Amino acid sequence: MNIGTLRTRLRGTAALALLPLLALTACGSGDTGGTAAVGAEASPAPTDDPVAAVRKVDSAAALLPADVRKAGKLRVGSSIGFPPGAYYPNGTDKAPAGQDIDLADAVAKVLGVGLERQDASFETILPALGSGKYDFGTGNFGVTAERLKTIDFVTYINDGQGFAVKKGNTALKAKVTDLTQLCGLTIGTGAGTTFEATLTAQKGVCAKAGKKPYDVKVYSENAATLTALQQGRIDVIMSTINGLRYQAAQPASQTAFLGEFHRLDVGFAFKKGSPLTKAFRAAVNELIENGTYARILKKWGTSASAIDTSRINPPEHT
């Protein structure tokens, strides 16, 4: 889902926005990239390593195209932004960590291939799949009807859209179940995300309800979004469920999660018609069956978003 953004690269080790531009497609215009979020700190990565014991499974590897098996590697466009999805716990000169990193690495081991990971801004990954720059992409990409027109997905988690506010917020206290609750408020999110698309498509709901419209501000960096919330320039953030939950659990962020708004399947992204999807589905299902999948999600605190089986191109949740 993310789910979504929300996606954006963090630069330097001074700040880490614990906020996802999810899940779903990310980045856009906004505050200057790299802005340090007040109170945001890089979180150390958990030490458990469930990927270490993963071994190649011949039946899954056999589903790869012959040229891929011969080359022994795949190129992945990876959006590195914030925990628990993918982030830099020790700075951009060190290896990234996160749920997406572990799952991609585990799938590669099941398939017996190596990964050439290329850090890419969230909004560039899906278009680059069609050009052949990457074999697949990760970035908490949510499965939507619009994306299914041009992208193939292999699902690995169920995430989606949610909202968060600054602790002590008085303008919005209850779980958001209807966008008319946002009327008159300023919402921060990532450009190109499903969040932005949802807010833009439904912007007329306030006028129909006889209320002042909400305003949407987009940001190209997670840190900038959190800073805007902390400084009162926005009232609420719309982002991924898991990212906002993770953020709210960090005392320094001073945010409160307002609950789920809309669930979305999240998956590895491929160009339409990719010959890789069956192999990836088999690999994810192998990880589910052998228990590695559950260990990875437990490590990153996302067990509530587990799926029972991986699917190729499921319909968008309604």
Side-chain angles (χ1 to χ4, degrees), residues 82-260:
F82 48 85
Y87 71 118
Y88 288 112
N90 301 305
T92 56
D93 59 334
K94 301 293 193 302
Q99 170 191 275
D100 287 358
I101 303 299
D102 281 352
L103 286 171
D105 287 348
V107 164
K109 292 185 74 172
V110 170
L111 298 178
V113 298
L115 291 184
E116 290 184 356
R117 181 172 282 111
Q118 299 180 40
D119 185 354
S121 58
F122 185 73
E123 75 278 12
T124 66
I125 294 176
L126 296 186
L129 294 173
S131 69
K133 183 175 182 179
Y134 311 121
D135 295 307
F136 71 102
T138 62
N140 206 38
F141 291 108
V143 180
T144 67
E146 185 63 27
R147 285 182 179 159
L148 285 170
K149 295 176 183 178
T150 57
I151 299 293
D152 281 339
F153 290 95
V154 173
T155 60
Y156 60 81
I157 201 167
N158 183 259
D159 198 343
Q161 303 172 333
F163 294 92
V165 295
K166 184 178 179 179
K167 282 188 177 179
N169 173 280
T170 58
L172 190 63
K173 297 179 180 179
K175 175 181 178 180
V176 177
T177 58
D178 190 300
L179 293 184
T180 56
Q181 293 171 248
L182 303 176
C183 295
L185 301 179
T186 301
I187 309 151
T189 194
T193 61
T194 58
F195 315 120
E196 184 190 18
T198 296
L199 293 169
T200 300
Q202 299 297 319
K203 203 162 188 179
V205 298
C206 293
K208 291 180 181 178
K211 299 181 178 181
K212 181 181 177 181
Y214 54 72
D215 185 30
V216 180
K217 293 188 180 298
V218 296
Y219 297 88
S220 61
E221 294 287 340
N222 297 313
T225 313
L226 182 55
T227 296
L229 183 72
Q230 293 168 330
Q231 294 180 349
R233 288 182 281 119
I234 59 176
D235 301 299
V236 59
I237 291 170
M238 187 178 189
S239 190
T240 63
I241 293 168
N242 285 332
L244 292 176
R245 277 179 173 154
Y246 187 99
Q247 181 186 55
Q250 314 306 310
S253 74
Q254 289 297 300
T255 62
F257 177 56
L258 291 184
E260 302 176 8

